[in-house]
Amino acid sequence: MSSSSPEPVEHDPGTGGSRTQLVSVVSPVYCEEDGIEAFHARLVETLEHLDDGLSFEIIYVNDGSTDRSGALLRKLCVDEPRARLIDLSRNFGHQLAITAGVDHALGDAVVVIDSDLQDPPEVILEMVERWRAGSKVVYGVRTHRVGESRFKLLTARWFYRIINSLSDVQLPPDSGDFRLMDRAVVDVLCTMREENRYVRGMVAWIGFSQSSVEYERDPRHAGETKFTVRRMVRFASDAITSFSEKPLRMATQIGTTITLLALVVIVWVTVGQIVNPDDSVRGWPSLMAAVLFLGGVQLLCVGLLGAYIGRIYRESKGRPLYVVAEVVGTLDNQSGSP
Ligand code: UDP
Ligand code: MG
């Protein structure tokens, strides 16, 4: 592993088996004013049940909420010394909010959990057990998803199928970002600074021993999902373009096949002209079809190339992934963005 992390996380390398180990819980928050207090209470209550020899810290990332979430989190973090707030300067999106939280986590294990109570905090205890038994990554697998639209369930299922058929890294189906990662994994993740992030794919790419715990995904405690269809499409295209070059290869293959077909048609049309010179209007529909089809395929391939070039363009700017406006909390020994 390289040591070129832009912001080396301050971390006690461990002085033996008896040392208290720290579990960090990272939770991104975007406009969750109606549910955040309930989430916090349930999370703290759960984490109090961690075994002896384990302590915890909670890191909330306020992802530019426009409601009262920021103020509520600030108060929670003042009242609870084990909680910190990373206040981002604007909305950077779920994946970058997670990244900001993980960057600031100091724990020997880092758990990422949504703040809308869809991922039950109690599962964390099971994840920690698996981690202590030797797993470096423990991801949650959703057995049921209560209260989510059919559309979401269907798109989610197809999304994982398509991603896995396109990508070299296999993603466990039905797992989201609810997962525990060992410090070894987190350190590698912190060195991966790509801008179009698909965190669960990156964790799968890192490898190490992985195991899963099953859980039922509850309906949202309050509020609504922030993932509109547009955001879902963008997320899916980020996931595909960051983990697979197969679409590019497919574009070449489609291009080659169609070129060959076009050659056959050209020969056929030419021969037809020579054999039957008076019948020139007959070819018009097939000509139009070929022109339109080719035009469509070309535009598709150009768009596809554009998607990859756009990514290169964004990466080449080398901007920080997120901007931290403020850190609230006592463990505040890092600030600023990487
Ligand atoms: N979230 C975020 N930034 C965003 C959108 C969402 O930090 O731009 C948080 C949100 O507060 C929640 C989690 O990410 O804790 C998952 O979002 P959501 O519940 O809307 O997604 P879904 O569960 O419907 O996939
Ligand atoms: Mg949710």
Side-chain angles (χ1 to χ4, degrees):
M1 193 195 75
S2 91
S3 56
S4 63
S5 170
E7 184 180 312
V9 178
E10 220 171 90
H11 167 241
D12 180 355
T15 49
S18 59
R19 187 178 65 95
T20 312
Q21 288 191 301
L22 180 67
V23 176
S24 303
V25 177
V26 168
S27 193
V29 182
Y30 176 60
C31 298
E32 305 280 3
E33 61 180 1
D34 297 329
I36 192 67
E37 283 163 318
F39 170 75
H40 178 75
R42 205 166 132 192
L43 183 63
V44 172
E45 152 74 15
T46 306
L47 294 174
E48 300 282 10
H49 289 96
L50 281 172
D51 295 346
D52 291 344
L54 289 177
S55 57
F56 68 87
E57 62 164 357
I58 301 171
I59 297 166
Y60 289 114
V61 182
N62 178 23
D63 188 16
S65 301
T66 49
D67 62 359
R68 288 187 306 125
S69 301
L72 292 172
L73 284 170
R74 193 172 296 263
K75 183 168 182 307
L76 293 178
C77 291
V78 169
D79 294 347
E80 169 56 74
R82 292 165 293 187
R84 274 189 288 158
L85 169 64
I86 313 294
D87 198 17
L88 300 185
S89 61
R90 64 168 172 88
N91 179 251
F92 281 88
H94 184 216
Q95 300 289 301
L96 288 174
I98 292 177
T99 307
V102 171
D103 282 347
H104 284 80
L106 301 172
D108 301 278
V110 179
V111 180
V112 175
I113 183 170
D114 283 357
S115 56
D116 57 2
L117 280 174
Q118 277 195 291
D119 306 329
E122 294 73 26
V123 179
I124 295 176
L125 298 180
E126 213 178 313
M127 289 180 165
V128 168
E129 241 166 69
R130 292 284 180 91
W131 168 60
R132 296 193 110 191
S135 288
K136 299 284 185 206
V137 176
V138 188
Y139 54 86
V141 171
R142 310 176 269 232
T143 49
H144 289 285
R145 297 174 122 191
V146 189
E148 288 196 274
S149 67
R150 276 192 167 191
F151 176 72
K152 177 122 190 179
L153 296 183
L154 203 73
T155 46
R157 169 142 13 114
W158 275 99
F159 172 68
Y160 283 106
R161 280 198 192 161
I162 293 172
I163 273 280
N164 275 343
S165 70
L166 287 177
S167 161
D168 305 330
V169 181
Q170 292 301 299
L171 292 180
D174 286 324
S175 72
D177 284 309
F178 184 25
R179 64 187 61 228
L180 177 149
M181 294 170 283
D182 183 80
R183 175 47 58 186
V185 177
V186 172
D187 279 346
V188 182
L189 190 63
C190 288
T191 64
M192 296 162 76
R193 304 315 288 177
E194 60 221 62
E195 196 165 316
N196 296 282
R197 297 178 87 76
Y198 180 57
V199 175
R200 59 196 88 152
M202 293 161 71
V203 175
W205 181 90
I206 293 172
F208 287 104
S209 57
Q210 313 224 348
S211 66
S212 61
V213 289
E214 294 193 339
Y215 72 101
E216 284 196 14
R217 190 152 218 238
D218 296 329
R220 254 177 171 277
H221 179 74
E224 282 180 353
T225 176
K226 275 82 193 181
F227 276 78
T228 54
V229 172
R230 210 169 128 201
R231 265 186 121 143
M232 273 158 66
V233 169
R234 205 170 136 196
F235 181 64
S237 105
D238 263 358
I240 292 172
T241 48
S242 56
F243 277 92
S244 173
E245 277 134 44
K246 264 190 203 167
L248 282 178
R249 285 202 291 272
M250 271 158 54
T252 319
Q253 285 158 6
I254 294 172
T256 316
T257 315
I258 289 180
T259 312
L260 289 176
L261 267 175
L263 279 176
V264 173
V265 173
I266 288 167
V267 171
W268 178 66
V269 168
T270 318
V271 172
Q273 270 308 342
I274 295 167
V275 175
N276 209 351
D278 299 335
D279 203 9
S280 54
V281 182
R282 220 187 71 206
W284 189 79
S286 60
L287 186 73
M288 273 319 276
V291 167
L292 289 178
F293 183 57
L294 280 178
V297 170
Q298 275 171 354
L299 280 181
L300 189 97
C301 293
V302 170
L304 196 68
L305 283 178
Y308 281 89
I309 292 174
R311 287 178 54 80
I312 299 170
Y313 171 62
R314 279 200 293 277
E315 297 296 347
S316 70
K317 286 191 280 197
R319 289 190 183 163
L321 298 178
Y322 53 83
V323 178
V324 177
E326 194 186 351
V327 181
V328 181
T330 45
L331 272 167
D332 171 18
N333 47 10
Q334 303 173 51
S335 60
S337 55

